[in-house]
Amino acid sequence: MTIFDDGWLDDQQALRGADPVLRRLAEAGARLRRETEAAEQPRLKLADIPRPRAVIAVGSEARFIRAMLEPVCPVPFVAWPHHGLPGWVGALDLVVAMASDGAEPGLIMSVAEATRRGSMSLVACPESSPVADHTSSRSTTLLPTTTADTLAAAIVVLDALHLAQLGPQVRPDLVADAMDLVAEECSAYRDLSENPAKDLALGLADAHPLVWGGSVLAARASRRVAEAFRAGTGRAALAADARELMPILDGAAPRDPFADPFTDVVPADRRPGLLILDDGDTDELIRAAHTGLLTVAERNDVRVNTIGHRGGSDVERYVTLLQTGMFAAVFLAVGLGRYHDI
């Protein structure tokens, strides 16, 4: 059985195995700046396109784009998860394709289909890629990408869509600053006493994480963070709505006050730990769900951890919650010895 060792969180030798993934997390802001600079001139073409009949998004982070655009987009918006395009898409519609991380065959098919139908297209992909081979149409705008960072590419696309008056204002420079701040606060070189991600890893050391985010964006971040916990630790981790998490919290076995969480826990007896991603959304239903989760957790003596951020734009808050959770997943894996062999 793997035992969590909190001493490894400040042990540079133990952290060395996780250096590649920690470095990639820390460089998120730099990648966003690179992608923004590369797209600076091509994006200007979006200012002159006519208002489309509808917007169809395909590829990586399409649902993130939908979460940002749906509340404000002046035309219907569809995040299309299938190969090809809906049968009704034509020359009056805008197809947004995000392929910064590769050329999946279905995505190539979608971009080629958009070109064949004469649709307006906005494509984020490397300039030398199979997807780019289908972007020669005059009605297509190519935003060149270089880092394979799907989130950075999506933020650049959002910025371009704002220029086309189809989405909210996004300041990539401020989003990159928010990413840099998380990287500084959650650095492997910052010790446990002042590192929110290491503290969170310690809080979930003996738990099955249950992750909740109330707003649309916080809920998306919760799913990504839960995926990172599962991949990094091999443990069950669930992101779900409050009504789905409450029965699990209510069914938690009573805590043994004499148990040592680092030596006495066996996987079958591991209790849930609640992680709340709070982006400060003041919607009445979201706050009620938040209060309900805290009440049930307290009643069942379930530990609650919170990642909170209430300043800045929606995207700034989103990346802060997401990146902090990603750092925590890595540190939890480090504490469990999954990145090293000591």
Side-chain angles (χ1 to χ4, degrees):
M1 180 181 65
T2 301
I3 302 299
F4 184 89
D5 187 338
D6 61 335
W8 286 343
L9 298 183
D10 289 331
D11 184 323
Q12 293 308 308
Q13 181 179 351
L15 289 162
R16 191 171 297 122
D19 184 69
V21 64
L22 287 170
R23 186 181 299 274
R24 182 159 181 82
L25 285 172
E27 293 173 347
R31 291 195 299 273
L32 176 54
R33 292 185 182 92
R34 285 172 56 189
E35 301 291 34
T36 302
E37 183 178 0
E40 183 62 30
Q41 290 303 314
R43 66 186 272 280
L44 297 178
K45 184 178 177 182
L46 273 294
D48 298 324
I49 68 168
R51 175 171 291 183
R53 178 180 59 181
V55 179
I56 303 91
V58 297
S60 54
E61 298 290 354
R63 289 184 174 85
F64 171 56
I65 298 291
R66 180 182 66 185
M68 290 298 300
L69 256 67
E70 269 188 336
V72 297
C73 187
V75 300
F77 181 92
V78 177
W80 189 249
H82 310 294
H83 291 181
L85 295 171
W88 51 264
V89 173
L92 299 178
D93 304 304
L94 173 64
V95 175
V96 178
M98 286 157 290
S100 61
D101 57 340
E104 189 266 332
L107 191 53
I108 298 174
M109 181 191 305
S110 297
V111 174
E113 186 71 8
T115 300
R116 186 184 68 81
R117 298 188 195 183
S119 303
M120 296 176 283
S121 299
L122 173 62
V123 182
C125 69
E127 289 185 287
S128 298
S129 66
V131 174
D133 293 341
H134 297 279
T135 61
S136 57
S137 168
R138 293 175 58 186
S139 59
T140 297
T141 299
L142 172 64
L143 301 181
T145 64
T146 60
T147 67
D149 187 326
T150 58
L151 179 57
I155 292 169
V156 170
V157 166
L158 284 171
D159 183 42
L161 290 171
H162 171 69
L163 197 61
Q165 300 183 39
L166 295 170
Q169 182 177 22
V170 178
R171 290 282 305 276
D173 57 329
L174 297 182
V175 178
D177 289 345
M179 290 174 165
D180 288 347
L181 182 59
V182 173
E184 179 182 348
E185 292 178 343
C186 300
S187 168
Y189 297 100
R190 178 169 288 196
D191 65 39
L192 176 60
S193 65
E194 54 183 12
N195 188 316
K198 290 182 179 180
D199 182 66
L200 180 56
L202 183 61
L204 294 171
D206 62 334
H208 284 303
L210 303 179
V211 193
W212 178 80
S215 71
V216 173
L217 285 176
R220 176 163 182 78
S222 73
R223 291 190 292 273
R224 296 284 304 277
V225 170
E227 290 171 2
F229 280 133
R230 290 194 296 270
T233 68
R235 291 183 181 177
L238 174 65
D241 293 336
R243 66 178 181 276
E244 297 168 325
L245 295 179
M246 286 184 183
I248 301 175
L249 296 172
D250 255 335
R255 184 186 297 277
D256 180 356
F258 302 105
D260 184 334
F262 301 109
T263 60
D264 295 345
V265 172
V266 296
D269 294 335
R270 189 173 288 125
R271 304 180 78 249
L274 180 60
L275 172 57
I276 291 179
L277 306 188
D278 184 2
D279 62 359
D281 195 303
T282 58
D283 179 85
E284 184 176 337
L285 292 177
I286 291 176
R287 303 326 298 177
H290 187 176
T291 301
L293 282 169
L294 294 179
T295 300
V296 175
E298 182 179 3
R299 181 170 67 232
N300 292 279
D301 195 23
V302 172
R303 180 166 181 168
V304 179
N305 301 272
T306 301
I307 303 174
H309 191 71
R310 297 168 178 261
S313 67
D314 289 345
V315 180
E316 289 169 63
R317 296 197 300 273
Y318 171 75
V319 300
T320 299
L321 299 181
L322 177 63
Q323 295 293 103
T324 304
M326 293 293 191
F327 271 103
V330 176
F331 290 132
L332 181 56
V334 168
L336 292 171
R338 291 176 65 91
Y339 277 108
H340 51 88
D341 183 17
I342 294 180

mmCIF file of all heavy atoms in Angstrom, residues 4 9 192 196-206 229 305 327-333:
data_model
loop_
_atom_site.group_PDB
_atom_site.id
_atom_site.type_symbol
_atom_site.label_atom_id
_atom_site.label_comp_id
_atom_site.label_asym_id
_atom_site.label_seq_id
_atom_site.Cartn_x
_atom_site.Cartn_y
_atom_site.Cartn_z
ATOM 1 N N PHE A 4 1.292 8.214 1.879
ATOM 2 C CA PHE A 4 1.621 9.595 1.541
ATOM 3 C C PHE A 4 2.686 10.116 2.509
ATOM 4 O O PHE A 4 2.549 9.985 3.723
ATOM 5 C CB PHE A 4 0.366 10.463 1.630
ATOM 6 C CG PHE A 4 0.573 11.896 1.215
ATOM 7 C CD1 PHE A 4 0.408 12.280 -0.097
ATOM 8 C CD2 PHE A 4 0.935 12.859 2.151
ATOM 9 C CE1 PHE A 4 0.593 13.597 -0.495
ATOM 10 C CE2 PHE A 4 1.122 14.182 1.777
ATOM 11 C CZ PHE A 4 0.944 14.550 0.447
ATOM 12 N N LEU A 9 7.151 16.608 -0.297
ATOM 13 C CA LEU A 9 6.665 17.817 -0.968
ATOM 14 C C LEU A 9 7.692 18.942 -0.938
ATOM 15 O O LEU A 9 7.619 19.867 -1.764
ATOM 16 C CB LEU A 9 5.365 18.299 -0.304
ATOM 17 C CG LEU A 9 4.183 17.321 -0.363
ATOM 18 C CD1 LEU A 9 2.953 17.949 0.273
ATOM 19 C CD2 LEU A 9 3.886 16.885 -1.785
ATOM 20 N N LEU A 192 5.794 23.987 1.949
ATOM 21 C CA LEU A 192 4.420 23.596 2.262
ATOM 22 C C LEU A 192 3.665 24.652 3.045
ATOM 23 O O LEU A 192 2.465 24.855 2.847
ATOM 24 C CB LEU A 192 4.448 22.267 3.032
ATOM 25 C CG LEU A 192 3.132 21.703 3.555
ATOM 26 C CD1 LEU A 192 2.179 21.441 2.399
ATOM 27 C CD2 LEU A 192 3.391 20.415 4.333
ATOM 28 N N PRO A 196 -0.249 26.971 -1.630
ATOM 29 C CA PRO A 196 -1.630 26.485 -1.587
ATOM 30 C C PRO A 196 -1.819 25.123 -2.241
ATOM 31 O O PRO A 196 -2.672 24.340 -1.808
ATOM 32 C CB PRO A 196 -2.417 27.574 -2.329
ATOM 33 C CG PRO A 196 -1.405 28.291 -3.161
ATOM 34 C CD PRO A 196 -0.128 28.228 -2.380
ATOM 35 N N ALA A 197 -1.045 24.815 -3.283
ATOM 36 C CA ALA A 197 -1.210 23.526 -3.957
ATOM 37 C C ALA A 197 -0.645 22.386 -3.108
ATOM 38 O O ALA A 197 -1.237 21.300 -3.043
ATOM 39 C CB ALA A 197 -0.527 23.559 -5.326
ATOM 40 N N LYS A 198 0.470 22.602 -2.454
ATOM 41 C CA LYS A 198 1.007 21.573 -1.562
ATOM 42 C C LYS A 198 0.083 21.365 -0.367
ATOM 43 O O LYS A 198 -0.131 20.230 0.084
ATOM 44 C CB LYS A 198 2.415 21.959 -1.094
ATOM 45 C CG LYS A 198 3.478 21.884 -2.177
ATOM 46 C CD LYS A 198 4.860 22.233 -1.620
ATOM 47 C CE LYS A 198 5.940 22.130 -2.690
ATOM 48 N NZ LYS A 198 7.288 22.450 -2.183
ATOM 49 N N ASP A 199 -0.466 22.468 0.156
ATOM 50 C CA ASP A 199 -1.398 22.361 1.280
ATOM 51 C C ASP A 199 -2.633 21.568 0.877
ATOM 52 O O ASP A 199 -3.153 20.760 1.651
ATOM 53 C CB ASP A 199 -1.786 23.758 1.760
ATOM 54 C CG ASP A 199 -2.714 23.715 2.967
ATOM 55 O OD1 ASP A 199 -2.278 23.262 4.042
ATOM 56 O OD2 ASP A 199 -3.892 24.124 2.825
ATOM 57 N N LEU A 200 -3.098 21.783 -0.343
ATOM 58 C CA LEU A 200 -4.257 21.051 -0.841
ATOM 59 C C LEU A 200 -3.926 19.569 -1.000
ATOM 60 O O LEU A 200 -4.740 18.699 -0.653
ATOM 61 C CB LEU A 200 -4.696 21.641 -2.183
ATOM 62 C CG LEU A 200 -5.895 21.002 -2.874
ATOM 63 C CD1 LEU A 200 -7.107 21.006 -1.963
ATOM 64 C CD2 LEU A 200 -6.204 21.750 -4.167
ATOM 65 N N ALA A 201 -2.736 19.265 -1.503
ATOM 66 C CA ALA A 201 -2.322 17.869 -1.627
ATOM 67 C C ALA A 201 -2.306 17.189 -0.257
ATOM 68 O O ALA A 201 -2.739 16.037 -0.113
ATOM 69 C CB ALA A 201 -0.944 17.789 -2.283
ATOM 70 N N LEU A 202 -1.809 17.899 0.745
ATOM 71 C CA LEU A 202 -1.793 17.353 2.102
ATOM 72 C C LEU A 202 -3.214 17.113 2.598
ATOM 73 O O LEU A 202 -3.501 16.098 3.242
ATOM 74 C CB LEU A 202 -1.062 18.316 3.032
ATOM 75 C CG LEU A 202 -0.880 17.869 4.484
ATOM 76 C CD1 LEU A 202 -0.059 16.593 4.551
ATOM 77 C CD2 LEU A 202 -0.220 18.977 5.299
ATOM 78 N N GLY A 203 -4.134 18.042 2.280
ATOM 79 C CA GLY A 203 -5.519 17.898 2.717
ATOM 80 C C GLY A 203 -6.222 16.713 2.090
ATOM 81 O O GLY A 203 -7.187 16.185 2.652
ATOM 82 N N LEU A 204 -5.764 16.295 0.905
ATOM 83 C CA LEU A 204 -6.395 15.168 0.212
ATOM 84 C C LEU A 204 -5.542 13.899 0.282
ATOM 85 O O LEU A 204 -5.810 12.940 -0.437
ATOM 86 C CB LEU A 204 -6.631 15.540 -1.256
ATOM 87 C CG LEU A 204 -7.635 16.663 -1.500
ATOM 88 C CD1 LEU A 204 -7.620 17.089 -2.964
ATOM 89 C CD2 LEU A 204 -9.043 16.227 -1.095
ATOM 90 N N ALA A 205 -4.541 13.902 1.154
ATOM 91 C CA ALA A 205 -3.576 12.802 1.196
ATOM 92 C C ALA A 205 -4.222 11.451 1.429
ATOM 93 O O ALA A 205 -3.797 10.438 0.869
ATOM 94 C CB ALA A 205 -2.531 13.075 2.285
ATOM 95 N N ASP A 206 -5.246 11.396 2.275
ATOM 96 C CA ASP A 206 -5.870 10.113 2.612
ATOM 97 C C ASP A 206 -7.304 10.035 2.119
ATOM 98 O O ASP A 206 -8.110 9.280 2.655
ATOM 99 C CB ASP A 206 -5.839 9.901 4.132
ATOM 100 C CG ASP A 206 -6.632 10.959 4.878
ATOM 101 O OD1 ASP A 206 -6.777 12.066 4.334
ATOM 102 O OD2 ASP A 206 -7.110 10.678 5.997
ATOM 103 N N PHE A 229 -6.303 14.352 -11.000
ATOM 104 C CA PHE A 229 -6.145 13.542 -9.790
ATOM 105 C C PHE A 229 -6.141 12.050 -10.149
ATOM 106 O O PHE A 229 -5.317 11.283 -9.637
ATOM 107 C CB PHE A 229 -7.268 13.826 -8.796
ATOM 108 C CG PHE A 229 -7.077 15.076 -7.981
ATOM 109 C CD1 PHE A 229 -8.112 15.986 -7.823
ATOM 110 C CD2 PHE A 229 -5.870 15.354 -7.369
ATOM 111 C CE1 PHE A 229 -7.943 17.144 -7.074
ATOM 112 C CE2 PHE A 229 -5.686 16.500 -6.612
ATOM 113 C CZ PHE A 229 -6.729 17.402 -6.470
ATOM 114 N N ASN A 305 -11.741 21.251 1.373
ATOM 115 C CA ASN A 305 -10.662 22.088 0.856
ATOM 116 C C ASN A 305 -11.253 23.012 -0.200
ATOM 117 O O ASN A 305 -12.164 22.615 -0.937
ATOM 118 C CB ASN A 305 -9.562 21.230 0.229
ATOM 119 C CG ASN A 305 -8.955 20.248 1.212
ATOM 120 O OD1 ASN A 305 -8.022 20.564 1.912
ATOM 121 N ND2 ASN A 305 -9.515 19.033 1.261
ATOM 122 N N PHE A 327 -1.594 21.827 -10.217
ATOM 123 C CA PHE A 327 -0.397 21.746 -9.374
ATOM 124 C C PHE A 327 -0.649 20.823 -8.187
ATOM 125 O O PHE A 327 0.214 20.003 -7.821
ATOM 126 C CB PHE A 327 -0.007 23.137 -8.874
ATOM 127 C CG PHE A 327 0.924 23.901 -9.779
ATOM 128 C CD1 PHE A 327 0.442 24.916 -10.595
ATOM 129 C CD2 PHE A 327 2.277 23.619 -9.808
ATOM 130 C CE1 PHE A 327 1.294 25.631 -11.430
ATOM 131 C CE2 PHE A 327 3.142 24.323 -10.633
ATOM 132 C CZ PHE A 327 2.650 25.334 -11.447
ATOM 133 N N ALA A 328 -1.828 20.940 -7.569
ATOM 134 C CA ALA A 328 -2.132 20.100 -6.405
ATOM 135 C C ALA A 328 -2.119 18.620 -6.776
ATOM 136 O O ALA A 328 -1.644 17.786 -6.001
ATOM 137 C CB ALA A 328 -3.491 20.497 -5.828
ATOM 138 N N ALA A 329 -2.638 18.286 -7.965
ATOM 139 C CA ALA A 329 -2.654 16.891 -8.399
ATOM 140 C C ALA A 329 -1.233 16.348 -8.534
ATOM 141 O O ALA A 329 -0.951 15.198 -8.173
ATOM 142 C CB ALA A 329 -3.403 16.770 -9.724
ATOM 143 N N VAL A 330 -0.322 17.179 -9.043
ATOM 144 C CA VAL A 330 1.070 16.744 -9.181
ATOM 145 C C VAL A 330 1.697 16.534 -7.807
ATOM 146 O O VAL A 330 2.370 15.516 -7.559
ATOM 147 C CB VAL A 330 1.890 17.769 -9.995
ATOM 148 C CG1 VAL A 330 3.358 17.345 -10.056
ATOM 149 C CG2 VAL A 330 1.324 17.923 -11.395
ATOM 150 N N PHE A 331 1.476 17.476 -6.891
ATOM 151 C CA PHE A 331 2.078 17.341 -5.560
ATOM 152 C C PHE A 331 1.495 16.149 -4.791
ATOM 153 O O PHE A 331 2.203 15.494 -4.012
ATOM 154 C CB PHE A 331 1.907 18.634 -4.769
ATOM 155 C CG PHE A 331 2.739 19.770 -5.286
ATOM 156 C CD1 PHE A 331 2.178 21.023 -5.498
ATOM 157 C CD2 PHE A 331 4.079 19.588 -5.575
ATOM 158 C CE1 PHE A 331 2.943 22.080 -5.982
ATOM 159 C CE2 PHE A 331 4.859 20.637 -6.057
ATOM 160 C CZ PHE A 331 4.288 21.884 -6.264
ATOM 161 N N LEU A 332 0.211 15.870 -4.999
ATOM 162 C CA LEU A 332 -0.373 14.691 -4.371
ATOM 163 C C LEU A 332 0.312 13.428 -4.897
ATOM 164 O O LEU A 332 0.635 12.510 -4.123
ATOM 165 C CB LEU A 332 -1.879 14.635 -4.645
ATOM 166 C CG LEU A 332 -2.657 13.471 -4.035
ATOM 167 C CD1 LEU A 332 -2.469 13.410 -2.527
ATOM 168 C CD2 LEU A 332 -4.140 13.582 -4.374
ATOM 169 N N ALA A 333 0.566 13.393 -6.207
ATOM 170 C CA ALA A 333 1.263 12.243 -6.787
ATOM 171 C C ALA A 333 2.698 12.143 -6.267
ATOM 172 O O ALA A 333 3.202 11.044 -6.016
ATOM 173 C CB ALA A 333 1.256 12.354 -8.316
#
